[in-house]
């Protein structure tokens, strides 16, 4: 399946045959990574129906009297399609919460669909929470609740603590997303404003069994931070949340209700999230069925076999400011080009994870475009070098594109347009650059989410 819809345009949009070939390898390799992250494929590999009332998940058998299905996240719709295909007739009740921009894709026979918003929560998120609570509380001790979790779930579904209003949550979410905080830090705060995240959903479901199928969009795959860990024990505390607000200078900026709740919680005056050792987790089983690392490994095999490249996965755990990460990766590509090390040409380097952007300007962009733009200066003039970075969900920041691509001639194309990389980075305006030179990577919403994917090629 070809996810990259403007592939042909991106291959034409270069100035030498070597860079065209490098672009093709980069883009087709990233497309292969997206194919491996396909949620339907992941579910089919992980779940089997043995007979009525018995399923096998990742080689473990589960029996049930009634079967309930709950799903939320950018990949939950695709996961649910496979669930219906495998065990649809066994489902007694279920609901799938999907982003409103892709809801039209899903028509289920046995499951209800409800739309919600991302990345900023809304009244639709609270309504989704109410629907899920009703199903969770209906399940009995002999029943099983199959929970489909993927990135984006933190915004799509919410049950707020009574001290917090929707406006409080919206303002806090916006502040966190612009602060430069990583996803673990963002979700630590969100968990402590919620009665859904941080293990609370598992507590609602208890005493029924909880079996969660999870597609990871968090570096290192820590279950408690994926969609803010609704079925995982929470190791973070109100004190941690307060420290994060302090670290990013948000104590005086978040709504008063939020600060009061977190301060009271840090003093032990508010009930904490469910912790490791709580008896409810004896009936909870969490399985990661797709991740960034698996996608990178499949992409590496594809590039080696198809193009005969010397390939290396740098890491699936990239973090840090996007513009700094871009410079580091570009420096590695430059080293390969000039010194034939750490890989000999022709070479491919792959990486994944999730960088951050501390927003100080008023431009439009996303972490992947900012990362590639920062790399463009270093790889200028290196014929046969191309580099791209994309969000696996098809959405980079608040833009409608997945990311961007650069090669040896990107810098000169930008300069000829009278534009400046430095000025664009200063104003967080990478999208304007990539739109002008038509080097954005467009997939549309992919229906999956396994962090960001990066690929760089150096040809002989």
């Amino acid at each position: 399946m070809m996810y990259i819809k403007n592939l042909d345009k991106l291959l034409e949009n270069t100035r030498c045959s070597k860079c065209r070939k490098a672009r093709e390898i980069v883009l087709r390799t990233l497309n292969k990574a997206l194919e491996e992250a396909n949620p339907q494929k992941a579910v089919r590999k992980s779940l089997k129906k043995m007979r009525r009332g018995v399923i096998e998940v990742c080689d473990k058998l589960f029996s049930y009297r009634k079967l309930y299905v709950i799903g939320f996240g950018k990949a939950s719709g695709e996961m649910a399609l496979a669930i219906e295909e495998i065990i649809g007739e066994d489902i007694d009740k279920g609901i799938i919460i999907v982003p409103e921009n892709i809801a039209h894709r899903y028509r289920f026979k046995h499951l209800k669909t409800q739309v919600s918003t991302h990345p900023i929560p809304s009244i639709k998120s609270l309504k989704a929470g109410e629907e899920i609570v009703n199903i969770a509380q209906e399940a009995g001790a002999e029943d099983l609740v199959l929970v489909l979790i993927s990135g984006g779930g933190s915004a799509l579904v919410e049950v707020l603590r009574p001290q917090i209003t929707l406006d409080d949550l919206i303002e806090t979410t916006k502040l966190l997303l612009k602060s430069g905080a990583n996803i673990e830090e963002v979700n630590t705060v969100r968990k402590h404003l919620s009665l859904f995240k941080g293990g609370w959903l598992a507590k609602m479901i208890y005493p029924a069994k909880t079996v969660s199928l999870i597609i990871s969009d968090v570096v290192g795959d820590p279950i408690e931070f994926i969609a803010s860990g609704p079925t995982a024990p929470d190791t973070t505390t109100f004190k941690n949340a307060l420290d994060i607000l302090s670290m990013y200078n948000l104590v005086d900026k978040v709504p008063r209700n939020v600060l009061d709740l977190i301060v009271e919680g840090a003093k032990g005056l508010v009930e904490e999230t469910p912790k490791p050792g709580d008896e409810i987790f004896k009936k909870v089983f969490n399985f990661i069925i797709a991740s960034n690392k698996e996608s990178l490994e499949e992409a590496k095999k594809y590039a080696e076999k198809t193009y005969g490249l010397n390939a290396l996965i740098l890491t699936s755990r990239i973090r840090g400011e996007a513009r700094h990460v871009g410079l580091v990766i570009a420096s590695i590509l430059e080293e390969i080009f000039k010194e034939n090390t750490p890989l000999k040409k022709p070479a491919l380097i792959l990486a994944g994870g999730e960088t951050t952007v501390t927003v100080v300007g008023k431009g439009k962009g996303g972490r992947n475009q900012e990362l590639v733009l920062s790399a463009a200066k270093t790889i200028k003039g290196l014929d046969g070098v191309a580099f791209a970075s994309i969000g696996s969900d098809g959405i980079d920041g608040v833009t409608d594109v997945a990311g961007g691509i650069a090669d040896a001639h990107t810098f000169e194309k930008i300069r000829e347009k009278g534009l400046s990389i430095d000025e664009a980075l200063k104003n967080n305006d990478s999208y304007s650059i990539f739109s002008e030179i038509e080097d954005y990577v467009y997939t549309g919403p992919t229906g999956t989410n396994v962090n960001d994917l990066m690929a760089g090629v150096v040809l002989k």
Side-chain angles (χ1 to χ4, degrees):
M1 176 179 179
M2 180 50 66
Y3 285 92
I4 300 174
K5 294 181 171 57
N6 62 334
L7 175 68
D8 291 342
K9 176 65 176 177
L10 291 173
L11 296 185
E12 294 169 4
N13 196 26
T14 189
R15 297 182 173 181
C16 72
S17 59
K18 284 181 69 174
C19 286
R20 186 187 192 282
K21 183 63 177 178
R23 282 179 171 235
E24 180 178 5
I25 294 171
V26 162
L27 294 170
R28 291 192 181 278
T29 299
L30 289 175
N31 197 78
K32 188 66 177 179
L34 290 174
E35 288 180 355
E36 181 62 17
N38 182 281
Q40 293 190 51
K41 178 180 179 180
V43 169
R44 292 189 190 105
K45 287 196 304 183
S46 306
L47 185 146
K48 299 176 184 177
K49 178 178 177 179
M50 308 307 289
R51 58 184 181 275
R52 174 75 183 183
V54 181
I55 57 174
E56 181 183 275
V57 181
C58 297
D59 301 321
K60 185 175 180 63
L61 292 177
F62 296 94
S63 61
Y64 48 85
R65 181 178 63 89
K66 287 186 175 182
L67 177 65
Y68 299 85
V69 178
I70 294 168
F72 43 92
K74 297 176 187 177
S76 63
E78 295 295 322
M79 296 168 79
L81 289 173
I83 291 295
E84 279 214 329
E85 174 189 307
I86 299 167
I87 52 172
E89 293 181 358
D90 271 19
I91 298 172
D92 290 277
K93 187 180 288 187
I95 187 167
I96 308 298
I97 314 300
V98 296
E100 54 190 358
N101 63 327
I102 58 172
H104 64 278
R105 298 180 182 179
Y106 307 113
R107 296 291 183 271
F108 301 113
K109 294 181 180 179
H110 307 279
L111 296 165
K112 178 181 177 181
T113 309
Q114 186 159 318
V115 303
S116 190
T117 55
H118 179 275
I120 304 301
S122 67
I123 189 64
K124 294 178 181 179
S125 309
L126 301 186
K127 290 179 178 178
E130 290 176 8
E131 294 273 3
I132 289 178
V133 168
N134 291 337
I135 291 176
Q137 293 180 340
E138 183 177 322
E142 297 179 15
D143 302 333
L144 186 149
V145 180
L146 188 61
V147 186
L148 314 178
I149 300 174
S150 61
S154 292
L156 292 170
V157 183
E158 187 57 276
V159 179
L160 287 171
R161 290 185 184 256
Q163 302 95 323
I164 303 300
T165 69
L166 176 59
D167 287 342
D168 293 334
L169 177 64
I170 291 171
E171 179 61 22
T172 303
T173 301
K174 289 179 178 178
L175 288 168
L176 287 165
L177 293 178
K178 290 182 178 180
S179 70
N182 64 36
I183 192 63
E184 289 97 335
E185 293 165 334
V186 171
N187 285 353
T188 294
V189 176
R190 291 200 281 200
K191 282 193 277 190
H192 287 88
L193 307 182
S194 176
L195 289 176
F196 183 84
K197 302 169 171 60
W200 285 113
L201 176 58
K203 193 159 190 172
M204 290 181 210
I205 292 170
Y206 186 82
K209 288 192 292 286
T210 298
V211 175
S212 296
L213 304 184
I214 303 168
I215 293 182
S216 174
D217 73 326
V218 180
V219 173
D221 307 330
I223 292 173
E224 68 169 305
F225 292 112
I226 302 167
S228 298
T231 62
D234 182 26
T235 64
T236 72
T237 65
F238 278 106
K239 177 63 165 59
N240 296 142
L242 184 58
D243 290 342
I244 289 164
L245 295 183
S246 298
M247 184 187 310
Y248 292 99
N249 299 312
L250 298 178
V251 169
D252 296 327
K253 297 177 182 178
V254 296
R256 188 70 198 183
N257 289 340
V258 170
L259 182 60
D260 287 347
L261 171 64
I262 291 176
V263 169
E264 289 178 8
K267 293 177 180 178
L269 302 177
V270 179
E271 184 180 7
E272 263 287 2
T273 47
K275 300 302 181 190
D278 192 310
E279 67 174 352
I280 66 172
F281 295 112
K282 293 178 181 178
K283 300 192 75 173
V284 176
F285 304 86
N286 293 310
F287 301 96
I288 291 178
I289 62 171
S291 68
N292 187 274
K293 183 179 179 182
E294 291 177 356
S295 287
L296 292 176
E297 288 173 347
E298 190 63 25
K300 178 176 180 288
K301 292 176 187 175
Y302 166 81
E304 289 172 334
K305 181 178 179 180
T306 306
Y307 301 108
L309 300 176
N310 299 308
L312 173 68
I313 298 174
L314 295 176
T315 180
S316 63
R317 298 170 180 254
I318 275 189
R319 303 174 181 87
E321 278 287 323
R323 65 185 66 190
H324 301 154
V325 172
L327 287 173
V328 171
I329 292 180
S331 297
I332 296 171
L333 294 171
E334 182 184 28
E335 184 82 0
I336 294 171
F337 182 89
K338 294 181 176 179
E339 306 293 342
N340 248 4
T341 184
L343 293 175
K344 291 185 178 180
K345 296 178 285 189
L348 166 76
I349 59 172
L350 291 160
E354 185 167 302
T355 60
T356 53
V357 173
T358 302
V359 179
V360 293
K362 296 182 179 180
K364 186 177 182 180
R367 59 183 181 262
N368 290 282
Q369 292 164 86
E370 189 156 309
L371 193 155
V372 176
L373 189 61
S374 73
K377 287 176 68 175
T378 301
I379 64 173
K380 67 177 179 181
L382 307 182
D383 281 344
V385 175
F387 172 62
S389 182
I390 61 172
S392 60
D393 59 358
I395 304 166
D396 191 29
V398 295
T399 72
D400 59 353
V401 304
I405 187 168
D407 64 26
H409 305 286
T410 298
F411 180 83
E412 63 191 66
K413 287 195 297 184
I414 292 170
R415 189 172 56 184
E416 288 168 7
K417 293 283 187 179
L419 302 172
S420 164
I421 289 177
D422 291 337
E423 285 299 312
L425 291 173
K426 182 179 179 180
N427 200 35
N428 300 117
D429 199 25
S430 55
Y431 179 76
S432 295
I433 295 277
F434 284 106
S435 295
E436 184 67 27
I437 66 172
E438 298 185 303
D439 265 347
Y440 54 80
V441 180
Y442 180 74
T443 62
T446 62
T448 192
N449 191 12
V450 291
N451 291 126
D452 300 334
L453 299 163
M454 304 157 205
V457 163
V458 183
L459 299 180
K460 287 184 176 179

Short mmCIF file of all heavy atoms in Angstrom, two decimals, residues 315-350:
data_model
loop_
_atom_site.label_atom_id
_atom_site.label_comp_id
_atom_site.label_asym_id
_atom_site.label_seq_id
_atom_site.Cartn_x
_atom_site.Cartn_y
_atom_site.Cartn_z
N THR A 315 18.51 4.46 16.32
CA THR A 315 17.77 4.33 17.56
C THR A 315 16.29 4.45 17.26
O THR A 315 15.89 5.08 16.27
CB THR A 315 18.17 5.41 18.58
OG1 THR A 315 17.40 5.23 19.77
CG2 THR A 315 17.91 6.81 18.04
N SER A 316 15.47 3.86 18.11
CA SER A 316 14.02 4.09 18.06
C SER A 316 13.59 4.98 19.23
O SER A 316 12.42 5.09 19.53
CB SER A 316 13.26 2.75 18.12
OG SER A 316 13.51 2.10 19.36
N ARG A 317 14.57 5.60 19.87
CA ARG A 317 14.31 6.37 21.09
C ARG A 317 14.79 7.82 21.00
O ARG A 317 15.21 8.40 21.99
CB ARG A 317 14.98 5.68 22.28
CG ARG A 317 14.44 4.28 22.55
CD ARG A 317 15.28 3.54 23.58
NE ARG A 317 14.77 2.20 23.83
CZ ARG A 317 14.12 1.83 24.93
NH1 ARG A 317 13.91 2.70 25.89
NH2 ARG A 317 13.68 0.59 25.08
N ILE A 318 14.73 8.40 19.84
CA ILE A 318 15.18 9.78 19.68
C ILE A 318 14.29 10.72 20.48
O ILE A 318 13.07 10.63 20.45
CB ILE A 318 15.21 10.18 18.20
CG1 ILE A 318 16.54 9.75 17.57
CG2 ILE A 318 15.00 11.68 18.02
CD1 ILE A 318 16.77 10.25 16.20
N ARG A 319 14.95 11.64 21.18
CA ARG A 319 14.27 12.70 21.92
C ARG A 319 15.06 14.00 21.73
O ARG A 319 16.16 13.98 21.19
CB ARG A 319 14.22 12.38 23.42
CG ARG A 319 13.56 11.06 23.79
CD ARG A 319 13.72 10.81 25.28
NE ARG A 319 13.16 9.57 25.76
CZ ARG A 319 13.79 8.41 25.77
NH1 ARG A 319 15.02 8.33 25.29
NH2 ARG A 319 13.21 7.33 26.26
N GLY A 320 14.52 15.08 22.21
CA GLY A 320 15.23 16.35 22.16
C GLY A 320 14.59 17.33 21.21
O GLY A 320 13.62 17.02 20.51
N GLU A 321 15.13 18.54 21.18
CA GLU A 321 14.63 19.58 20.29
C GLU A 321 14.81 19.15 18.84
O GLU A 321 15.90 18.73 18.43
CB GLU A 321 15.35 20.90 20.52
CG GLU A 321 14.81 21.70 21.68
CD GLU A 321 13.45 22.34 21.38
OE1 GLU A 321 13.22 22.78 20.23
OE2 GLU A 321 12.63 22.40 22.31
N ALA A 322 13.77 19.28 18.05
CA ALA A 322 13.78 18.79 16.67
C ALA A 322 14.94 19.37 15.86
O ALA A 322 15.63 18.64 15.14
CB ALA A 322 12.45 19.13 16.00
N ARG A 323 15.19 20.68 16.00
CA ARG A 323 16.24 21.31 15.19
C ARG A 323 17.63 20.79 15.57
O ARG A 323 18.51 20.72 14.72
CB ARG A 323 16.17 22.83 15.32
CG ARG A 323 16.46 23.37 16.71
CD ARG A 323 16.24 24.87 16.77
NE ARG A 323 14.84 25.20 16.57
CZ ARG A 323 14.40 26.45 16.37
NH1 ARG A 323 15.27 27.46 16.33
NH2 ARG A 323 13.12 26.69 16.22
N HIS A 324 17.82 20.43 16.82
CA HIS A 324 19.12 19.88 17.24
C HIS A 324 19.30 18.45 16.74
O HIS A 324 20.39 18.07 16.29
CB HIS A 324 19.23 19.92 18.77
CG HIS A 324 19.10 21.29 19.34
ND1 HIS A 324 18.65 21.54 20.62
CD2 HIS A 324 19.36 22.52 18.79
CE1 HIS A 324 18.63 22.84 20.84
NE2 HIS A 324 19.06 23.45 19.75
N VAL A 325 18.23 17.67 16.81
CA VAL A 325 18.29 16.29 16.31
C VAL A 325 18.56 16.30 14.81
O VAL A 325 19.35 15.49 14.29
CB VAL A 325 16.97 15.54 16.61
CG1 VAL A 325 16.94 14.19 15.92
CG2 VAL A 325 16.81 15.37 18.12
N GLY A 326 17.95 17.23 14.09
CA GLY A 326 18.20 17.32 12.65
C GLY A 326 19.65 17.56 12.32
O GLY A 326 20.20 16.96 11.39
N LEU A 327 20.31 18.42 13.08
CA LEU A 327 21.73 18.69 12.86
C LEU A 327 22.58 17.45 13.12
O LEU A 327 23.54 17.17 12.39
CB LEU A 327 22.19 19.83 13.77
CG LEU A 327 21.71 21.24 13.39
CD1 LEU A 327 22.11 22.23 14.47
CD2 LEU A 327 22.30 21.66 12.05
N VAL A 328 22.25 16.70 14.16
CA VAL A 328 23.02 15.50 14.49
C VAL A 328 22.90 14.46 13.37
O VAL A 328 23.90 13.89 12.91
CB VAL A 328 22.54 14.91 15.83
CG1 VAL A 328 23.18 13.54 16.06
CG2 VAL A 328 22.90 15.84 16.98
N ILE A 329 21.67 14.21 12.92
CA ILE A 329 21.48 13.20 11.87
C ILE A 329 22.15 13.66 10.57
O ILE A 329 22.80 12.86 9.87
CB ILE A 329 19.99 12.92 11.65
CG1 ILE A 329 19.42 12.23 12.89
CG2 ILE A 329 19.77 12.06 10.41
CD1 ILE A 329 17.94 11.91 12.81
N ALA A 330 22.03 14.94 10.24
CA ALA A 330 22.69 15.44 9.04
C ALA A 330 24.21 15.30 9.14
O ALA A 330 24.89 15.01 8.14
CB ALA A 330 22.31 16.91 8.83
N SER A 331 24.75 15.46 10.33
CA SER A 331 26.20 15.31 10.52
C SER A 331 26.64 13.86 10.28
O SER A 331 27.73 13.61 9.75
CB SER A 331 26.59 15.75 11.93
OG SER A 331 26.31 17.12 12.13
N ILE A 332 25.81 12.93 10.66
CA ILE A 332 26.12 11.51 10.41
C ILE A 332 26.10 11.23 8.91
O ILE A 332 26.99 10.55 8.37
CB ILE A 332 25.13 10.61 11.16
CG1 ILE A 332 25.29 10.79 12.67
CG2 ILE A 332 25.35 9.14 10.78
CD1 ILE A 332 24.21 10.10 13.49
N LEU A 333 25.11 11.78 8.21
CA LEU A 333 25.06 11.61 6.76
C LEU A 333 26.28 12.23 6.08
O LEU A 333 26.85 11.67 5.14
CB LEU A 333 23.77 12.23 6.21
CG LEU A 333 22.46 11.57 6.64
CD1 LEU A 333 21.27 12.41 6.21
CD2 LEU A 333 22.35 10.16 6.07
N GLU A 334 26.70 13.40 6.56
CA GLU A 334 27.89 14.06 6.03
C GLU A 334 29.13 13.22 6.26
O GLU A 334 30.00 13.10 5.37
CB GLU A 334 28.05 15.43 6.69
CG GLU A 334 29.23 16.23 6.19
CD GLU A 334 29.41 17.53 6.95
OE1 GLU A 334 29.01 17.60 8.15
OE2 GLU A 334 29.96 18.48 6.38
N GLU A 335 29.24 12.60 7.43
CA GLU A 335 30.38 11.75 7.75
C GLU A 335 30.45 10.54 6.82
O GLU A 335 31.52 10.15 6.34
CB GLU A 335 30.30 11.29 9.21
CG GLU A 335 31.47 10.47 9.69
CD GLU A 335 32.66 11.32 10.09
OE1 GLU A 335 32.59 12.57 10.01
OE2 GLU A 335 33.66 10.73 10.51
N ILE A 336 29.29 9.94 6.56
CA ILE A 336 29.25 8.80 5.64
C ILE A 336 29.68 9.25 4.24
O ILE A 336 30.46 8.57 3.56
CB ILE A 336 27.83 8.20 5.60
CG1 ILE A 336 27.47 7.58 6.95
CG2 ILE A 336 27.73 7.14 4.50
CD1 ILE A 336 26.02 7.17 7.08
N PHE A 337 29.16 10.40 3.79
CA PHE A 337 29.47 10.91 2.46
C PHE A 337 30.96 11.17 2.29
O PHE A 337 31.57 10.80 1.27
CB PHE A 337 28.68 12.20 2.22
CG PHE A 337 28.87 12.79 0.85
CD1 PHE A 337 28.07 12.43 -0.20
CD2 PHE A 337 29.87 13.74 0.62
CE1 PHE A 337 28.25 12.99 -1.47
CE2 PHE A 337 30.07 14.31 -0.62
CZ PHE A 337 29.25 13.92 -1.68
N LYS A 338 31.59 11.78 3.30
CA LYS A 338 32.98 12.23 3.17
C LYS A 338 34.01 11.22 3.65
O LYS A 338 35.14 11.20 3.16
CB LYS A 338 33.16 13.55 3.92
CG LYS A 338 32.38 14.70 3.31
CD LYS A 338 32.59 16.01 4.07
CE LYS A 338 31.87 17.17 3.39
NZ LYS A 338 32.02 18.45 4.12
N GLU A 339 33.64 10.38 4.62
CA GLU A 339 34.62 9.49 5.26
C GLU A 339 34.29 8.00 5.15
O GLU A 339 35.07 7.16 5.61
CB GLU A 339 34.75 9.86 6.74
CG GLU A 339 35.07 11.31 7.02
CD GLU A 339 36.46 11.71 6.55
OE1 GLU A 339 37.30 10.79 6.32
OE2 GLU A 339 36.73 12.92 6.41
N ASN A 340 33.08 7.67 4.61
CA ASN A 340 32.66 6.27 4.52
C ASN A 340 32.57 5.61 5.90
O ASN A 340 32.88 4.43 6.06
CB ASN A 340 33.60 5.47 3.62
CG ASN A 340 32.92 5.03 2.33
OD1 ASN A 340 31.77 5.40 2.08
ND2 ASN A 340 33.60 4.25 1.53
N THR A 341 32.19 6.35 6.89
CA THR A 341 32.03 5.82 8.24
C THR A 341 30.92 6.61 8.93
O THR A 341 30.74 7.79 8.63
CB THR A 341 33.35 5.94 9.04
OG1 THR A 341 33.18 5.34 10.32
CG2 THR A 341 33.77 7.38 9.23
N PRO A 342 30.14 6.00 9.78
CA PRO A 342 30.20 4.64 10.36
C PRO A 342 29.69 3.54 9.44
O PRO A 342 29.76 2.37 9.79
CB PRO A 342 29.31 4.76 11.59
CG PRO A 342 28.30 5.79 11.20
CD PRO A 342 29.05 6.78 10.38
N LEU A 343 29.16 3.91 8.25
CA LEU A 343 28.77 2.93 7.25
C LEU A 343 29.45 3.26 5.94
O LEU A 343 29.73 4.42 5.64
CB LEU A 343 27.25 2.94 7.04
CG LEU A 343 26.33 2.49 8.17
CD1 LEU A 343 24.88 2.71 7.76
CD2 LEU A 343 26.57 1.02 8.49
N LYS A 344 29.69 2.25 5.13
CA LYS A 344 30.21 2.48 3.80
C LYS A 344 29.05 2.73 2.84
O LYS A 344 27.98 2.15 2.95
CB LYS A 344 31.02 1.26 3.33
CG LYS A 344 32.33 1.08 4.09
CD LYS A 344 33.14 -0.07 3.50
CE LYS A 344 34.47 -0.21 4.22
NZ LYS A 344 35.29 -1.33 3.67
N LYS A 345 29.31 3.63 1.88
CA LYS A 345 28.30 3.91 0.86
C LYS A 345 28.16 2.72 -0.10
O LYS A 345 29.16 2.03 -0.36
CB LYS A 345 28.71 5.15 0.06
CG LYS A 345 28.77 6.43 0.89
CD LYS A 345 29.22 7.64 0.07
CE LYS A 345 30.72 7.59 -0.21
NZ LYS A 345 31.22 8.83 -0.82
N PRO A 346 26.93 2.49 -0.60
CA PRO A 346 25.67 3.20 -0.37
C PRO A 346 25.10 2.82 0.99
O PRO A 346 25.13 1.65 1.39
CB PRO A 346 24.78 2.71 -1.51
CG PRO A 346 25.27 1.32 -1.79
CD PRO A 346 26.77 1.37 -1.57
N ALA A 347 24.59 3.80 1.69
CA ALA A 347 24.18 3.57 3.07
C ALA A 347 22.81 4.16 3.36
O ALA A 347 22.39 5.14 2.74
CB ALA A 347 25.21 4.17 4.02
N LEU A 348 22.16 3.54 4.32
CA LEU A 348 20.87 4.02 4.82
C LEU A 348 20.93 4.08 6.34
O LEU A 348 21.35 3.11 6.98
CB LEU A 348 19.74 3.08 4.40
CG LEU A 348 18.39 3.28 5.12
CD1 LEU A 348 17.67 4.50 4.58
CD2 LEU A 348 17.51 2.04 4.98
N ILE A 349 20.54 5.21 6.91
CA ILE A 349 20.38 5.26 8.36
C ILE A 349 18.91 5.50 8.67
O ILE A 349 18.22 6.26 7.98
CB ILE A 349 21.26 6.34 9.02
CG1 ILE A 349 20.94 7.73 8.49
CG2 ILE A 349 22.72 6.02 8.85
CD1 ILE A 349 21.65 8.84 9.24
N LEU A 350 18.43 4.82 9.70
CA LEU A 350 17.05 4.92 10.13
C LEU A 350 17.00 5.33 11.59
O LEU A 350 17.89 4.98 12.37
CB LEU A 350 16.33 3.58 9.97
CG LEU A 350 16.07 3.11 8.54
CD1 LEU A 350 15.82 1.61 8.52
CD2 LEU A 350 14.88 3.85 7.94
#
